[in-house]
Amino acid sequence: MKHGVAFRKFSRTTSHRMLMLRNLVTSLFEHEQIKTTLPKARDTARLAEKIITLGKKGDRSAQMRASAFLLKPEVLPKLFGTFASRYAERPGGYTRIHKFGNRPGDNAPVAILELVDNPRDLRFEITARAIGREVLQDKLRTEKPINLIKTGVHSTQNIIETEKKLEFGQTGMLRPKTRWNMQKMLRFRNQDAVSQLSRNVGNYIDHLMATPIAMKNLHDRERRKTVTGEFALRAGQTAPGDTRSVLDLSQGRLGLRQLRSGPVLTANYIFGRKPKAR
Amino acid sequence: MASLVFQKSRSMMLPALRASLSKPILSSLLPTFLGGSFKIPSLASLLEELFPRILLAVPKKKVSHSRKAMRAANKGLKDKHNLVHCPGCGGPKLAHHLCPTCYSFLHRMWKSGNKDNHKLL
């Protein structure tokens, strides 16, 4: 029986297994974000956090143990410098695992293992995108899409500052889950992170507003409009303001088309044929 | 050799043949130093070895279309129920997994950030 055993064997001998995990940890410290199978990611995360704890200690014996474990000496100054200062206030949990589907060759479940608060923090970026999308959806309820594109959205820093202070039960512009993610991201970081987040949010809002313009230019240049005058979207593609279910989105043109529930930031809504007002 | 002898004593297939072939005929013709104890396998035991009883099982009739279809009733593809909206792009994604659209966008952005931007296009 194997109840509650903490370690995986990976069908390898002890020395091979240990060397593989040491390699993975060294690569994680070097690149700060790696893609591997999910079980390997889980074991690597466990070891990596212990080595980062050694880095935080910083004394002579910790240095000797870390240099014996890691396989590249270039990574050691990063461990005792960058990571020690980055995680000085954080009590553990220095790594994060994102599940990412299955690998095509052997259908193995794949995960992206990253160090928290690294320059390419995935959760930070996706939270920024979520905030951007929700801010735009909120603005679309009051303003017309074409006016919104002309004026733009400039208040992202203020929105983030106000949402940061809200408690769990209170209502604000963002969904509760998005607000919680944002607060988590900013918890152990300094004020630079807030400005970085607002910059990312602004960039993503600009991207969303520029997409219908770019689509129209592309279609005009290549005359790719369909017979009915639509700017065709691929299956699964959406824009802010779209309220369809996931199954309808996945079916593309075979699914339910947009309900007349509100404005959507697509080229079709702004430049295409308008539905007849009833 | 011992198994052949054992099977020979147990087989009930061809008792007439068994009776006639139980006496070692050829071995008695051989000189004794070449192996007087050599027994040639009987026809019954040979048949038992070449065609064991399990290989003689065979379907009696062609399985009908309806019965075949009933057996295949549980083999259909199962729906995925763990599909949710991605908060970043709004498109469909697996629950508790990364959105592939968002990750692809970000990854391309990081890759292009590493490229040398001084090349004339």
Side-chain angles (χ1 to χ4, degrees), chain A:
Chain A
M1 280 178 279
K2 199 204 66 62
H3 294 184
V5 169
F7 300 99
R8 292 177 182 82
K9 287 183 184 169
F10 294 116
S11 309
R12 286 165 166 85
T13 60
T14 305
S15 55
H16 184 181
R17 177 168 61 243
M18 205 53 201
L19 197 62
M20 178 192 78
L21 291 173
R22 283 168 72 186
N23 264 312
L24 279 167
V25 171
T26 311
S27 298
L28 175 65
F29 288 169
E30 189 186 337
H31 299 102
E32 305 200 32
Q33 194 179 84
I34 57 173
K35 180 153 74 167
T36 175
T37 65
L38 186 59
K40 286 184 185 133
R42 288 194 167 132
D43 269 26
T44 309
R46 196 189 159 153
L47 273 174
E49 288 182 4
K50 288 179 189 286
I51 304 298
I52 291 176
T53 314
L54 283 181
K56 277 169 81 167
K57 277 192 190 143
D59 56 358
R60 190 84 193 99
S61 96
Q63 279 172 11
M64 278 166 60
R65 276 187 286 165
S67 70
F69 183 86
L70 295 169
L71 296 166
K72 283 190 182 173
E74 306 90 78
V75 157
L76 279 168
K78 226 177 164 184
L79 173 66
F80 289 100
T82 322
F83 301 160
S85 58
R86 199 194 278 172
Y87 303 125
E89 264 85 64
R90 198 181 275 270
Y94 316 118
T95 55
R96 188 181 291 130
I97 294 176
H98 299 277
K99 291 191 252 293
F100 194 33
N102 286 28
R103 199 157 59 182
D106 55 359
N107 205 35
V110 148
I112 293 180
L113 172 64
E114 62 172 1
L115 293 174
V116 169
D117 295 340
N118 78 83
R120 294 180 173 189
D121 196 323
L122 256 177
R123 198 165 166 190
F124 189 86
E125 304 281 353
I126 291 177
T127 309
R129 285 164 74 91
I131 294 170
R133 198 181 149 79
E134 282 171 35
V135 164
L136 249 192
Q137 268 171 333
D138 194 68
K139 295 267 190 265
L140 272 175
R141 286 195 204 106
T142 48
E143 289 186 48
K144 275 186 147 186
I146 197 75
N147 293 341
L148 195 62
I149 290 170
K150 282 178 189 164
T151 52
V153 176
H154 304 287
S155 50
T156 53
Q157 178 99 11
N158 293 336
I159 291 166
I160 290 167
E161 300 272 346
T162 39
E163 291 283 337
K164 200 175 157 196
K165 294 187 192 102
L166 288 178
E167 295 290 320
F168 179 64
Q170 296 169 296
T171 45
M173 193 187 277
L174 301 177
R175 273 169 53 230
K177 183 80 179 177
T178 315
R179 193 187 313 138
W180 185 67
N181 278 329
M182 188 194 77
Q183 285 168 350
K184 271 199 126 183
M185 289 296 99
L186 298 172
R187 192 170 163 202
F188 291 105
R189 295 221 221 178
N190 50 17
Q191 195 59 25
D192 292 344
V194 179
S195 45
Q196 176 69 42
L197 184 63
S198 75
R199 216 178 311 139
N200 286 358
V201 171
N203 285 341
Y204 187 59
I205 290 176
D206 292 338
H207 167 80
L208 285 173
M209 290 199 290
T211 310
I213 315 280
M215 284 288 265
K216 182 176 188 293
N217 289 343
L218 190 74
H219 282 67
D220 285 347
R221 204 164 5 118
E222 299 184 24
R223 275 180 248 114
R224 263 205 248 151
K225 265 195 286 188
T226 58
V227 175
T228 50
E230 286 174 2
F231 300 92
L233 283 175
R234 287 193 301 276
Q237 260 195 316
T238 42
D242 206 332
T243 51
R244 292 179 290 169
S245 80
V246 159
L247 291 178
D248 290 326
L249 286 173
S250 321
Q251 286 171 3
R253 287 166 118 179
L254 294 176
L256 178 74
R257 306 296 201 96
Q258 181 58 36
L259 301 161
R260 307 225 188 108
S261 56
V264 190
L265 205 69
T266 46
N268 210 25
Y269 189 88
I270 300 169
F271 303 108
R273 268 180 13 170
K274 296 284 188 287
K276 285 183 196 162
R278 285 188 180 168

